Amino acid sequence: MNTLTDTDPGATFAAEYPLRPIPAAGEVDTGPIALTPANEPDLLPLWEAVIPETRARGNDIHLPVSLAFAGRLCNAYPDAQRKLVLVATLLHDTGWAHVDESRIISEGFRGDWRQADIRYEHERLGCDVARRVLPPLGYGEDFIDAVCAIIDGHDTRAEAHSLEDALMRDADRLWRFDHAGIALASGWFAQHPAQYTDRLETEIIPELITDAALAMARADLARSRALLATAVLR
């Protein structure tokens, strides 16, 4: 007879990593993310393949910064499949380029935004991008399926299904704590930086899955608040 963990990947992952936040096994770098850009030469052809997708919704800032955080998280969790985490992170929001741009802010960042239809739509379209650009670059079908399993649900699914999924989710959130992410994303939510950094502390930090991401987020939040003088400018 099947147990819950036989059929539920979220439960399987939770059983495999019962301690939350998940303790790091490797180095945790909490320095400014600009000091360690994601210099991954083998990913340059993939970047070139999705240049049009980087022109939507600030992806040309969001995706590189998230990728840099993903690299740091992979260093902290060496058991993860690094290439899977990095490729999924690079591609996860490319679907925003293929939705109705006029709906992105009004539907994707207002009200119950995590369950907005446009959120599901951008995940599905991101998988379409992955299935289009990865085969010509030599990525195999099983790897592409794994990438799409992470992209599909990265915003709308409540739980992570694997360590790689968890690292991509944490990287997707960590970019918001950098001052560049705050400058861009605070406008999406119609908040000034002090309001937005308060939201990061109360809503986003509790969502982080790994201990390394928590350490990075708290360090970046403190730096960004000091830089942006949010104690006064509120």
Coordinates of all heavy atoms in Angstrom, one line a residue, residues 11-23 77 79-80 162-164 209:
A11 N 5.7 15.9 0.4 CA 5.9 15.1 1.6 C 7.2 14.3 1.6 O 7.9 14.2 2.7 CB 4.7 14.2 1.8
T12 N 7.6 13.8 0.5 CA 8.8 13.1 0.3 C 10.0 14.0 0.7 O 10.9 13.6 1.4 CB 9.0 12.5 -1.1 OG1 7.9 11.6 -1.3 CG2 10.3 11.8 -1.2
F13 N 10.0 15.2 0.1 CA 11.1 16.2 0.4 C 11.1 16.5 1.9 O 12.2 16.6 2.5 CB 10.9 17.4 -0.5 CG 11.8 18.5 -0.2 CD1 13.2 18.3 -0.3 CD2 11.3 19.7 0.2 CE1 14.1 19.4 -0.1 CE2 12.2 20.8 0.5 CZ 13.6 20.6 0.3
A14 N 9.9 16.8 2.4 CA 9.9 17.1 3.9 C 10.4 16.0 4.7 O 11.1 16.3 5.8 CB 8.4 17.5 4.3
A15 N 10.1 14.8 4.4 CA 10.6 13.6 5.1 C 12.2 13.5 5.0 O 12.9 13.1 5.9 CB 10.0 12.4 4.7
E16 N 12.7 13.8 3.8 CA 14.1 13.7 3.6 C 14.9 14.8 4.3 O 16.0 14.6 4.7 CB 14.4 13.8 2.1 CG 15.8 13.6 1.7 CD 16.0 13.6 0.2 OE1 15.1 13.7 -0.6 OE2 17.2 13.4 -0.2
Y17 N 14.2 16.0 4.4 CA 14.9 17.1 5.1 C 13.9 17.6 6.2 O 13.3 18.7 6.0 CB 15.2 18.3 4.1 CG 16.2 17.9 3.1 CD1 15.8 17.3 1.8 CD2 17.5 18.1 3.3 CE1 16.8 17.0 0.9 CE2 18.5 17.8 2.4 CZ 18.1 17.2 1.2 OH 19.1 16.9 0.2
P18 N 13.9 16.9 7.3 CA 12.9 17.3 8.3 C 13.2 18.5 9.1 O 12.3 19.1 9.7 CB 12.9 16.0 9.3 CG 14.3 15.4 9.1 CD 14.6 15.7 7.6
L19 N 14.5 18.9 9.2 CA 14.8 20.2 9.9 C 14.6 21.4 9.0 O 15.1 21.4 7.9 CB 16.3 20.1 10.3 CG 16.7 19.1 11.4 CD1 18.2 19.2 11.7 CD2 15.9 19.3 12.7
R20 N 13.8 22.3 9.5 CA 13.6 23.6 8.8 C 13.9 24.8 9.7 O 13.5 24.8 10.9 CB 12.1 23.7 8.3 CG 11.7 22.6 7.4 CD 12.5 22.6 6.1 NE 12.2 21.5 5.2 CZ 11.3 21.5 4.3 NH1 10.6 22.6 4.1 NH2 11.1 20.5 3.5
P21 N 14.6 25.7 9.2 CA 15.2 25.8 7.9 C 16.3 24.7 7.7 O 16.9 24.3 8.7 CB 15.8 27.2 7.8 CG 16.1 27.6 9.2 CD 15.0 27.0 10.0
I22 N 16.5 24.3 6.5 CA 17.5 23.2 6.2 C 18.9 23.7 6.5 O 19.4 24.7 6.0 CB 17.4 22.8 4.8 CG1 15.9 22.3 4.5 CG2 18.4 21.7 4.5 CD1 15.7 22.0 3.0
P23 N 19.6 23.0 7.4 CA 21.0 23.4 7.7 C 21.9 23.3 6.5 O 21.8 22.4 5.7 CB 21.4 22.4 8.8 CG 20.1 21.8 9.4 CD 19.2 21.8 8.2
Y77 N 24.9 24.1 -0.3 CA 24.3 22.8 -0.3 C 24.8 22.0 -1.4 O 24.2 21.8 -2.5 CB 22.7 23.0 -0.5 CG 22.2 23.7 0.7 CD1 22.1 25.1 0.8 CD2 21.7 23.0 1.9 CE1 21.6 25.8 1.9 CE2 21.3 23.7 3.0 CZ 21.2 25.1 3.0 OH 20.7 25.7 4.1
D79 N 25.1 19.0 -2.0 CA 24.4 17.8 -2.5 C 23.4 18.1 -3.6 O 23.0 17.1 -4.3 CB 23.7 17.1 -1.3 CG 24.6 16.5 -0.3 OD1 25.8 16.3 -0.7 OD2 24.2 16.2 0.8
A80 N 23.1 19.3 -3.8 CA 22.1 19.7 -4.8 C 22.8 19.6 -6.2 O 24.0 19.7 -6.4 CB 21.6 21.1 -4.6
S162 N 11.8 19.3 -3.9 CA 13.2 18.8 -3.9 C 14.1 19.8 -3.4 O 13.7 21.0 -3.3 CB 13.6 18.4 -5.4 OG 13.7 19.5 -6.2
L163 N 15.3 19.4 -3.1 CA 16.3 20.4 -2.6 C 16.6 21.4 -3.7 O 16.7 22.6 -3.5 CB 17.6 19.7 -2.3 CG 18.8 20.6 -1.8 CD1 18.4 21.4 -0.5 CD2 20.0 19.7 -1.5
E164 N 16.7 21.0 -5.0 CA 16.9 21.9 -6.1 C 15.8 22.9 -6.2 O 16.0 24.1 -6.4 CB 17.1 21.1 -7.4 CG 18.3 20.3 -7.5 CD 18.3 19.0 -6.7 OE1 17.2 18.6 -6.3 OE2 19.4 18.4 -6.4
I209 N 13.4 28.6 2.9 CA 13.4 27.2 3.3 C 14.8 26.8 3.9 O 14.8 25.9 4.7 CB 13.1 26.4 2.0 CG1 11.8 26.8 1.4 CG2 13.1 24.9 2.3 CD1 11.6 26.3 0.0

